[in-house]
Amino acid sequence: MRYIGSLDQGTTSTRFIIFDEVGAIVSQHQLEHRQILPRAGWVEHDASEIWHATQEVIRVALERANISGADLAAVGITNQRETTLAWDRESGMPLHNAIVWQDTRTQAFLDGLTPQAHNSIRYKTGLTIAPYFSGSKINWLLTNCPEVEQAVKSGRALVGTMDSWIAWKLTGGHNGGLHITDVTNASRTLLMDLETLQWDEELLAIFGIPISILPTIKSSSEIYGHTDAAGPFGAEVALAGILGDQQSAMVGQLCLEPGDSKTTYGTGNFTLQNTGEQIVRSSHGLLTTVCYKFGDQPARYAIEGSVAVTGSAIQWLRDQLGIISHASEVEALAESVSDNGGVYFVPAFSGLFAPHWRSDARGAIVGLTRAATKAHLARAALEAICYQTRDVLDAMAQETGLQLTQMRVDGGITANSLCMQLQANIMGIDIIRPVISETTALGAAYAAGLAVGYWSGTDELRGQWQIAKRWQAEPDHPLRGAGYQNWQKALTRTLDWV
Ligand code: ADP
């Protein structure tokens, strides 16, 4: 029996998961890495540390499964998106710490671009102009690090996102490693045209980036090459899938038809909706992105909306207010009252993301009475997670004209059944959680397995799909009508505040 391996290189940790034919987890290992914070607004990772962790998690997961690299039919990579680094193709070493997606050091550079540049970037890439994406990070590396400048001049510099770094290292590094990325990761750089799926000359010029240092853009599912037998697999295994983390979760959730949508509930929320072969350009504050591209088939696109504060509002109840001591306690506390008692909580701690994009908004708790308790506040916090998610989904429906009938979910908060029931009632649709909650790693495994014929096609994968839990919307629930109206009133208070 052979297996599929999936390397999930995330923001806080790196994991390797081994899946079997039915998509079940055989073994896994995970290692955290340091968050390097040199100054306010700067966030870096040590790419060497991540490479060491990558080798270790692969070795240990193989050991735990009692198999060798040769037992893997293929491996896939999924990764934290946008995080960017430069390395030396001869020494195989990073030339600077990786600049993480959260890093805002390049805001001033972006502010200095012309309105015409902004328009081109927006139209061609489907993204907003933000330091979050890779383009301005690469510009920073090229203009602020003498080592990188020097390496570019002498033709030794390679630049890429985390997928590229890991793929290059796994396929041999300075002994002929492949310098590649996939369309989903490339679609987060501000440098790729969504239509051509290639690096765009005008965009490269705006950011001052020579194309020679960039990886080749590949599909998300094909045999790119093989791992170096001298590396952690100890064998030549087909490297056959690459997807950015949110897109990988879409594939792992089998959101493969137009209209299919998933939300990952973590510290913040990420919602993506498949728009098929259509590029939907947003006028409602959503991002347009590549969802996946399987081999020679046409690319599938998605629109994406993120909510900055969801799980972190629960952390705030725990750490700042001290009304719970563990995140999981919020459910029982909220359940101890039958409704929110008229209390609405808008956790706009650092502004609001989609669909509002107001960095100046600040949080509010409204509707307090003498009878309000911490339980009402806990309930209001859970409702806020769901109302914010509905705001994004409503914006998506306006954009695509597609009305959802159900939504697939994953992430830490989905353990909270009350929250998921509130979500169903607030949106008026069913909420579905799959058996395998590791959807991010599963997506890259699916992409790799499809490429090598380990699975016959997406129909076979659909046959494996199993629902762990479904929360049904109660018809005409008051939270959907009056509750949502009150939420919107509360929301205006946070926008009025500034
Ligand atoms: P991330 O991948 O962003 O680190 P996770 O998927 O691990 O996030 O989810 C962690 C977040 O979920 C934390 O912000 C935590 O406050 C929240 N959380 C965890 N368990 C619960 C729960 N039972 N109810 C509500 N929120 C929860």
Side-chain angles (χ1 to χ4, degrees):
M1 177 158 172
R2 299 188 86 195
Y3 304 92
I4 297 284
S6 178
L7 185 87
D8 180 357
Q9 202 301 294
T11 307
T12 55
S13 70
T14 304
R15 286 193 306 172
F16 189 65
I17 303 188
I18 297 170
F19 291 97
D20 68 12
E21 279 162 344
V22 293
I25 294 175
V26 177
S27 81
Q28 58 175 311
H29 189 46
Q30 177 168 9
L31 285 173
E32 294 199 354
H33 56 262
R34 285 174 305 143
Q35 306 296 313
I36 304 164
L37 310 167
R39 299 188 203 179
W42 292 32
V43 188
E44 298 180 353
H45 289 158
D46 176 350
S48 288
E49 184 186 358
I50 287 178
W51 169 238
H52 286 299
T54 299
Q55 298 175 82
E56 186 63 12
V57 294
I58 292 170
R59 281 200 196 100
V60 172
L62 286 171
E63 218 172 84
R64 285 184 180 165
N66 203 16
I67 62 171
S68 73
D71 295 314
L72 297 174
V75 288
I77 298 173
T78 179
N79 56 294
Q80 51 169 325
R81 302 179 301 176
E82 297 103 9
T83 298
T84 304
L85 76 149
W87 67 95
D88 187 318
R89 61 158 32 119
E90 283 170 18
S91 71
M93 297 300 287
L95 292 160
H96 190 273
N97 278 338
I99 306 182
V100 178
W101 55 274
Q102 296 133 325
D103 189 294
T104 55
R105 77 184 67 180
T106 58
Q107 184 68 56
F109 169 82
L110 294 169
D111 291 343
L113 296 178
T114 63
Q116 193 195 345
H118 278 211
N119 287 340
S120 270
I121 297 170
R122 269 203 205 94
Y123 185 80
K124 287 185 173 172
T125 70
L127 304 173
T128 54
I129 316 293
Y132 178 49
F133 304 108
S134 315
S136 59
K137 297 184 198 295
I138 301 177
N139 170 278
W140 191 93
L141 288 168
L142 296 180
T143 51
N144 288 274
C145 309
E147 300 82 359
V148 179
E149 268 176 83
Q150 196 49 47
V152 172
K153 277 197 197 115
S154 57
R156 287 179 291 112
L158 296 177
V159 161
T161 38
M162 274 298 167
D163 54 312
S164 298
W165 167 241
I166 302 289
W168 188 79
K169 281 292 207 184
L170 284 178
T171 55
H174 61 281
N175 294 319
L178 296 172
H179 193 31
I180 53 172
T181 188
D182 91 304
V183 282
T184 67
N185 278 293
S187 79
R188 315 295 295 187
T189 58
L190 296 177
L191 304 173
M192 188 190 82
D193 184 324
L194 278 179
E195 288 174 21
T196 63
L197 304 176
Q198 294 300 325
W199 303 123
D200 180 86
E201 266 180 39
E202 182 195 4
L203 301 176
L204 293 177
I206 290 171
F207 291 95
I209 300 170
I211 197 165
S212 57
I213 63 174
L214 292 175
T216 306
I217 303 175
K218 299 280 194 178
S219 80
S220 320
S221 171
E222 65 182 270
I223 301 175
Y224 311 113
H226 291 81
T227 61
D228 181 1
F233 290 105
E236 292 189 1
V237 185
L239 176 62
I242 302 180
L243 289 151
D245 52 11
Q246 296 304 323
Q247 283 90 338
S248 193
M250 281 291 275
V251 173
Q253 287 272 22
L254 290 171
C255 288
L256 305 178
E257 297 297 326
D260 285 352
S261 154
K262 70 90 202 172
T263 297
T264 299
Y265 292 74
T267 316
N269 270 22
F270 286 93
T271 301
L272 275 79
Q273 185 172 356
N274 186 320
T275 62
E277 291 178 41
Q278 209 193 342
I279 298 175
V280 176
R281 293 178 199 282
S282 173
S283 48
H284 293 88
L286 304 168
L287 304 177
T288 311
T289 197
V290 181
C291 193
Y292 57 87
K293 178 174 172 9
F294 290 158
D296 294 337
Q297 294 172 38
R300 307 299 154 116
Y301 296 88
I303 44 173
E304 172 175 329
S306 44
V307 177
V309 178
T310 56
S312 53
I314 308 304
Q315 291 168 10
W316 185 76
L317 297 182
R318 183 192 63 195
D319 303 337
Q320 258 66 26
L321 299 192
I323 64 172
I324 47 173
S325 28
H326 295 285
S328 58
E329 288 170 18
V330 74
E331 185 169 4
L333 182 59
E335 201 118 50
S336 70
V337 286
S338 58
D339 59 34
N340 66 10
V343 177
Y344 289 82
F345 171 25
V346 188
F349 297 144
S350 49
L352 290 165
F353 284 5
H356 314 285
W357 293 106
R358 284 281 298 268
S359 57
D360 54 345
R362 288 297 175 267
I365 298 171
V366 299
L368 292 174
T369 65
R370 182 70 181 80
T373 66
K374 60 183 180 181
H376 293 114
L377 186 58
R379 204 163 176 111
L382 294 183
E383 288 183 7
I385 293 173
C386 304
Y387 285 131
Q388 293 187 95
T389 306
R390 174 164 166 191
D391 285 340
V392 170
L393 268 296
D394 281 2
M396 283 186 176
Q398 274 181 290
E399 211 78 77
T400 61
L402 297 167
Q403 281 303 331
L404 297 186
T405 53
Q406 56 179 39
M407 181 170 71
R408 297 179 176 186
V409 299
D410 49 61
I413 303 175
T414 63
N416 186 322
S417 211
L418 172 63
C419 189
M420 294 299 105
Q421 186 60 51
L422 291 168
Q423 188 71 78
N425 289 340
I426 284 170
M427 298 215 308
I429 61 173
D430 289 4
I431 303 295
I432 293 169
R433 195 181 65 203
V435 170
I436 297 191
S437 56
E438 300 300 345
T439 54
T440 305
L442 186 61
Y446 279 166
L450 287 171
V452 296
Y454 182 79
W455 289 295
S456 58
T458 49
D459 284 345
E460 183 182 349
L461 299 179
R462 282 194 188 91
Q464 293 184 358
W465 174 259
Q466 277 182 44
I467 295 176
K469 184 136 190 196
R470 176 189 291 269
W471 291 271
Q472 279 179 315
E474 298 165 45
D476 300 321
H477 197 279
L479 289 181
R480 192 175 171 202
Y484 189 59
Q485 280 168 15
N486 287 336
W487 159 259
Q488 288 187 309
K489 270 199 279 181
L491 194 62
T492 60
R493 301 294 181 269
T494 68
L495 301 173
D496 291 350
W497 175 248
V498 283

